[in-house]
Amino acid sequence: MTISQTRNVGLPLMKLVRWKGVPILQQLHLEEQLLRTSSENWCIINDGTNDPTIVMGISGKPAQLLKLDSVLNDRIPVIRRYTGGGTVVVDCGTVFVTFICNKDAVPGLQPYPQPIMSWSSLLYALVFRGFGDFSLRENDYVFGNHKFGGNAQSITKNRWIHHTSFLWDYEARNMAYLKLPARAPEYRVARDHLEFICRMKDYMPRSVFVDRTIKAVETYFSVRPVQLEAMETNLNSKFSHSTKLLTEQELEAAAFESHFEKGDSRFVNVINESALSGQEK
Amino acid sequence: MALRMWASSTANALRVSCASKAHVSPAFSLSRCFSSVLDGLKYATSHEWVKHEGSVATIGITDHAQDHLGEVVFVELPEPGGSVSKGNGFGAVESVKATSDVNSPISGEVVEVNSKLSEAPGLINSSPYEDGWMIKVKPSNPSELESLMGPKEYTKFCEEEDAAH
């Protein structure tokens, strides 16, 4: 037996899916389906997604979180995902890493949000050792006090998922679609997006990050790469996803409601004029 | 030893449980020790409680569960008129970064949901057994209640679960 084979004896199996540029909606749909219908452990690494997309958490309200006029004008897709947490803008500069595990997969780990978050920080501490002042700060991955990785989770009776969007690079103009959230970590200290986040590419090469992540996963699991085509044929096409792409109508309705509630005079005048013209008839 | 015995007897009087954390890795351990467990309720291994009164059973999540989940910021509940089945999910709670399924301990028809939770999800944290109730169900098979845990059994279950991690 080789040294690596010896090390893997006794470790639970984890199937590894490696993608590049897969649409984030497709990734989220696959994750949700694996969480709910598979009994195996999975790691999905999607190295960048194709188009800029806004992804909100399960309870995200577009009017509160997004600058909807710009989002609608620029036709940016908006997704509400199945996990908790905040809002991100993702694109080809985002690297996604997802763990889907049975609740007993990691010995000694309780399937609750904080223990899972802590375990993930131990794994990524291995990844970033020697590359920057990495830590888990509240629920974010940071270098110093600048966020570069956002986390979210979903926990079922017997399984859990922990997924991260890593900002290897980003477009400053895309961050302008997001409002300052009402609920923010304390260490953010009301900084706007560009002062709060940082780029991973300033700390380590992209391929090094992916390779080191896989190596770190191998300390907990026996990793087996699998091909996407083989997986697609095994998936249940009748599965009902809760992750949804919001329609243009839904976003327009949210924008309208937002303006109306703020008493935006342009909208109030339009409504009043419509009401008056109806009365005159 | 004396202090520990005092704490244990006080805990019993207050109907609280205390889990041993001696063997837990610091990276994974939870700092909280005491969670309340009430008499008169039945408990599921997935940390939901059920209170059966006449033809209606009220369901929520336990103090142990809310404590481990953290601050609840959003609650997803079914519509009245729908059905729930034993051991299966009927809704979810969001706590900071995580959504967590809530499972029904029994089967039946949902007759009422706690509408206060949409505006005040934190009731689940502050009052998990009273104001934080989630759904009321008309049980379709009341014998399912017999397979659930009583307070002492659930207390021991929580202690063992926390000690094992």
Side-chain angles (χ1 to χ4, degrees):
Chain A
M1 230 188 294
T2 64
I3 293 173
S4 62
Q5 286 172 327
T6 309
R7 190 173 59 222
N8 283 342
V9 167
L11 293 177
L13 177 68
M14 177 169 273
K15 291 187 172 177
L16 171 67
V17 176
R18 289 186 71 168
W19 283 337
K20 192 168 178 61
V22 168
I24 184 60
L25 184 64
Q26 186 176 336
Q27 175 188 328
L28 291 168
H29 278 173
L30 175 71
E31 288 179 4
E32 199 180 347
Q33 193 157 343
L34 290 175
L35 174 69
R36 297 274 174 196
T37 65
S38 169
S39 57
E40 297 175 296
N41 304 310
W42 297 87
C43 175
I44 300 170
I45 300 178
N46 186 14
D47 193 355
T49 190
N50 54 345
D51 291 326
T53 306
I54 294 168
V55 185
M56 302 185 302
I58 189 171
S59 61
K61 294 181 173 57
Q64 292 175 2
L65 297 166
L66 310 179
K67 293 176 185 170
L68 283 167
D69 291 346
S70 302
V71 170
L72 284 161
N73 196 57
D74 297 348
R75 306 182 73 88
I76 304 295
V78 178
I79 291 170
R80 182 182 285 117
R81 66 180 186 266
Y82 66 100
T83 53
T87 309
V88 291
V89 186
V90 299
D91 58 23
C92 58
T94 314
V95 181
F96 303 92
V97 181
T98 298
F99 298 107
I100 305 170
C101 293
N102 292 312
K103 68 175 184 179
D104 297 325
V106 179
L109 179 61
Q110 279 212 18
Y112 290 108
Q114 274 310 308
I116 296 169
M117 194 72 73
S118 295
W119 170 79
S120 77
S121 72
L122 297 181
L123 186 146
Y124 285 110
L126 297 174
V127 175
F128 296 112
R129 186 177 293 160
F131 285 90
D133 179 22
F134 167 77
S135 67
L136 174 70
R137 192 105 184 240
E138 295 182 53
N139 295 298
D140 298 334
Y141 299 142
V142 300
F143 289 126
N145 70 343
H146 290 94
K147 175 179 177 177
F148 69 92
N151 297 297
Q153 300 165 341
S154 182
I155 303 169
T156 68
K157 196 158 63 172
N158 295 309
R159 288 165 68 74
W160 53 264
I161 186 167
H162 177 97
H163 60 188
T164 309
S165 57
F166 287 97
L167 291 173
W168 190 78
D169 194 5
Y170 60 83
E171 297 274 352
R173 62 167 185 252
N174 287 343
M175 297 301 153
Y177 294 121
L178 305 182
K179 291 182 177 176
L180 208 61
R183 200 184 308 132
E186 287 182 14
Y187 80 97
R188 181 166 180 158
V189 204
R191 287 176 283 168
D192 73 20
H193 284 94
L194 298 181
E195 290 175 337
F196 176 48
I197 56 180
C198 66
R199 294 177 169 89
M200 271 174 70
K201 71 175 191 178
D202 294 334
Y203 292 84
M204 75 192 320
R206 195 158 175 163
S207 57
V208 169
F209 167 66
V210 173
D211 290 344
R212 287 176 69 93
T213 296
I214 295 171
K215 275 276 177 300
V217 176
E218 287 174 345
T219 63
Y220 294 95
F221 296 94
S222 175
V223 175
R224 183 188 301 169
V226 296
Q227 295 302 312
L228 173 64
E229 292 78 22
M231 285 186 29
E232 277 182 342
T233 57
N234 291 330
L235 297 182
N236 180 357
S237 60
K238 293 181 184 170
F239 180 77
S240 175
H241 302 96
S242 57
T243 296
K244 291 277 187 278
L245 177 68
L246 273 63
T247 64
E248 196 169 343
Q249 288 77 15
E250 285 170 313
L251 294 173
E252 284 172 348
F256 180 82
E257 196 179 316
S258 176
H259 284 296
F260 191 73
E261 281 175 359
K262 283 192 292 189
D264 188 317
S265 58
R266 293 168 296 170
F267 283 77
V268 173
N269 287 340
V270 165
I271 292 164
N272 287 340
E273 284 164 10
S274 299
L276 281 172
S277 66
Q279 286 173 349
E280 283 167 0
K281 286 175 189 170
Chain B
M1 175 63 88
L3 182 63
R4 198 163 157 188
M5 285 173 64
W6 173 83
S8 178
S9 64
T10 303
N12 284 336
L14 293 171
R15 298 277 178 207
V16 296
S17 66
C18 180
S20 166
K21 300 280 189 292
H23 303 291
V24 177
S25 162
F28 305 155
S29 66
L30 298 161
S31 58
R32 175 151 176 120
C33 192
F34 298 103
S35 296
S36 65
V37 178
L38 297 191
D39 272 349
L41 306 184
K42 298 288 256 179
Y43 298 87
T45 55
S46 48
H47 302 286
E48 293 86 10
W49 57 266
V50 56
K51 185 175 186 180
H52 189 202
E53 294 173 298
S55 62
V56 172
T58 307
I59 294 167
I61 67 169
T62 66
D63 188 31
H64 177 100
Q66 69 78 20
D67 182 56
H68 282 48
L69 290 175
E71 183 195 354
V72 176
V73 297
F74 177 73
V75 183
E76 200 172 68
L77 293 174
E79 294 291 323
S83 62
V84 294
S85 60
K86 179 180 170 69
N88 290 324
F90 68 80
V93 294
E94 183 186 1
S95 55
V96 194
K97 297 287 185 180
T99 58
S100 300
D101 282 0
V102 186
N103 303 292
S104 184
I106 58 171
S107 308
E109 179 195 347
V110 179
V111 296
E112 192 180 345
V113 301
N114 188 350
S115 57
K116 287 185 189 170
L117 293 179
S118 62
E119 293 301 319
L123 287 172
I124 287 181
N125 296 116
S126 59
S127 183
Y129 297 114
E130 292 172 9
D131 295 336
W133 68 272
M134 297 180 78
I135 60 172
K136 291 186 193 282
V137 168
K138 187 175 162 189
S140 57
N141 185 0
S143 65
E144 288 175 336
L145 287 156
E146 292 163 24
S147 63
L148 299 173
M149 291 182 280
K152 285 183 183 167
E153 204 182 341
Y154 178 65
T155 301
K156 189 171 175 223
F157 174 78
C158 290
E159 289 174 358
E160 288 173 353
E161 192 179 76
D162 282 344
H165 294 90

